[in-house]
Amino acid sequence: MSKLGLVLSGGGSKGAYQIGVYKALLKLGKKPNIVTGTSVGALNGVLIIQNDIRRAIKMWRNISFLTIYDENSFPNTDNEAIANVYKQYVKTFINEGGMDISKLSSIFDKLYNPNKFFRSEVDYGLVTYNLSKNKPVLKTKRNLEANKVKDYVISSASCYPAFKPYKIDNELYIDGGYHDNLPINLAVNLGADEIIAVDLRAVGFKKDTKEDVNITVISPRNKIVSFLVFEKTKSREAIRFGYNDTMKTFGKLDGDVFTFKKNNLVKNYNKYNEEFEKNLNSVFEGLDSAVLNKIVSSSVFKSIISDKVSYKNFNDLVEKAGICFAIPEDNIYNIKSFNRGLLNGLSAAIPTTKGVIGDKIKNKDFNKLIDKKQVVKFFYEAIIKNNFEQAIKFIPLFIEEFLIAMYIYTIKGRRRTY
C-alpha cells in the first residue's frame, strides 16, 4: 500500500504557509501517513500528527512578535516595525549570543498532547543538530520519549545564531537546517514512497534524495516576510498563500502569482486573445521600422508579431497587470472581478503627459520616478483616442506598460463600464 510522506522545511515565521498547505491537502483528501520536519516544520509536524489543524490555524492567525520574543528584548513602542526586529537581533546576538527561545517553549507546552501524538497512526520524524558533538540527530516516534518530544522539537527550531542553542542533557543543540532543512530522505526511510515537500526556501542545507520516489514540491510563489518577522496580518496572508499554491499545484485552481477559479483564465484567453492581437497589429501597422525593430527585440513580442499570442504569454500579462495595480495577491479571483479591479485601478491612476515622461527619462531616473500606473494610463488614453503621435517613441522603453494598457483597452474598449 502506498504511503504518503509530508515533508516540512524550516523557515521561521514562514511556517504559517505550511498550515495553509495542509488545510488544502485535507480538502483534497491527501492525508499523509508520515510527516517529517525541520525547525518550524518539526513544530508544525507535531500539530499535524495530533490532527490539531484548528489549533494550528488559530495559533498562526494570532501570532505576533511578542508571542515569540521576550517583550524586554524590544524598544517600548506600539509600532511593531520590522526594522526593530533586526536592530534588536543584532544587538542581542552581539551581547548575548542570540535571543532566548523560552517563549516558543511555552507555546509548545500548550500545544503538545502526548496522548494524541503517540496514539496517532501517522508516523513522525525530525532533524536537529548536536552542536556539542558536531553531528546531526534524527529522531522519530520510535526513539522519542514522551517527555523528550518538546526538547527535540524546540532544539530543531532553535534557529542559530538568531536564537541561543538549546540545551538537552548538558549538550547544546541548534536548528536542524544545519544538516537537512528539507528531510525527504528521513520520510523515505520511514516508508514513504510518495512525497509532498513544502519548501519554504529558507537558509539551510538540503540533502540529495537517495531513492527514486515521486516528489511534489510546493513552495511560495509570492513574497513572504523574513523568517524572523512574526506578525499576524502577514501570517494570515501566508496561510492563504499556502492554501492557494497547493490547490494550483494539484490543478484545482489556476494562476501563478495570483489565484483564479478553475478555467477562468482559459475563458478569459478564449474571449479576448483574438481581439488583443487585432488591436496590437493595428498599432504595429502604423509604426516605422526603427521603432518596430526595437519592440520586436522583446521576447514578449516575438510571438505576437506573427499573430500568435500564446496562452502563457497572455496570462503572464494578466498577472503583470495585477501586480502593476497592486491587486491583493492572496485572494481567489473570478476573472471578471479581477478585470474590474484593473479598470478601477486605471481610473484611480493620476494622468501624466509626454513632457513629464520625457523630462524624467532625460534625468535617467525614470524607473524610480515614474509610476507604472501613470504610464499605463498614458498609453491607454493614446489608444482610446487613436492618437499615437505622442506615445509611439515611448513604447520601446515601456513595453510592459504598453501591453497592460492594450489588455485593459481590449477588455473594456469604448464601453463606459466593464
Side-chain angles (χ1 to χ4, degrees), residues 1-8 22 25 30-37 45-46 48-49 120-126 139-142 183-197:
M1 182 178 176
S2 178
K3 287 189 176 182
L4 175 62
L6 176 62
V7 180
L8 306 173
Y22 185 63
L25 291 177
K30 295 180 179 293
K31 191 169 184 179
N33 307 103
I34 297 161
V35 178
T36 61
V46 170
I48 290 171
I49 294 291
S120 171
E121 295 180 357
V122 184
D123 209 347
Y124 174 80
L126 64 81
K139 289 289 184 178
T140 68
K141 263 191 180 182
R142 299 168 194 170
I184 292 174
N185 289 322
L186 178 55
V188 173
N189 291 340
L190 288 174
D193 47 25
E194 180 183 356
I195 300 289
I196 296 174

Side-chain angles (χ1 to χ4, degrees), residues 163-183:
F163 291 95
K164 296 176 182 177
Y166 187 84
K167 188 177 287 188
I168 303 176
D169 298 330
N170 293 318
E171 294 180 344
L172 298 178
Y173 287 76
I174 57 175
D175 194 312
Y178 279 82
H179 173 67
D180 190 356
N181 205 40
L182 191 65

Side-chain angles (χ1 to χ4, degrees), residues 197-217:
V198 188
D199 185 358
L200 297 175
R201 297 198 184 108
V203 175
F205 296 101
K206 296 176 189 174
K207 302 297 181 182
D208 292 333
T209 307
K210 296 178 181 178
E211 303 293 335
D212 184 17
V213 294
N214 180 23
I215 302 174
T216 300
V217 179

Side-chain angles (χ1 to χ4, degrees), residues 118-171:
F118 284 100
R119 288 178 182 176
S120 171
E121 295 180 357
V122 184
D123 209 347
Y124 174 80
L126 64 81
V127 180
T128 185
Y129 196 88
N130 187 319
L131 187 62
S132 298
K133 294 183 176 179
N134 195 28
K135 69 175 186 178
V137 175
L138 279 62
K139 289 289 184 178
T140 68
K141 263 191 180 182
R142 299 168 194 170
N143 59 15
L144 270 173
E145 299 174 6
N147 64 345
K148 287 291 187 181
V149 173
K150 169 186 170 179
D151 286 333
Y152 285 104
V153 171
I154 298 302
S155 72
S156 180
S158 296
C159 187
Y160 182 81
F163 291 95
K164 296 176 182 177
Y166 187 84
K167 188 177 287 188
I168 303 176
D169 298 330
N170 293 318
E171 294 180 344

Side-chain angles (χ1 to χ4, degrees), residues 4-8 15-35 44-54 56-57 60 120 122 196 198 218 238-239 241-247 250:
L4 175 62
L6 176 62
V7 180
L8 306 173
Y17 179 91
Q18 294 174 341
I19 297 303
V21 171
Y22 185 63
K23 180 181 176 183
L25 291 177
L26 289 180
K27 186 167 185 177
L28 293 168
K30 295 180 179 293
K31 191 169 184 179
N33 307 103
I34 297 161
V35 178
N44 281 333
V46 170
L47 296 173
I48 290 171
I49 294 291
Q50 295 178 177
N51 197 28
D52 279 337
I53 183 64
R54 290 183 180 178
I57 291 173
W60 282 108
S120 171
V122 184
I196 296 174
V198 188
I218 302 173
I239 292 172
F241 283 148
Y243 180 89
N244 293 349
D245 286 352
T246 304
M247 288 303 199
F250 290 99

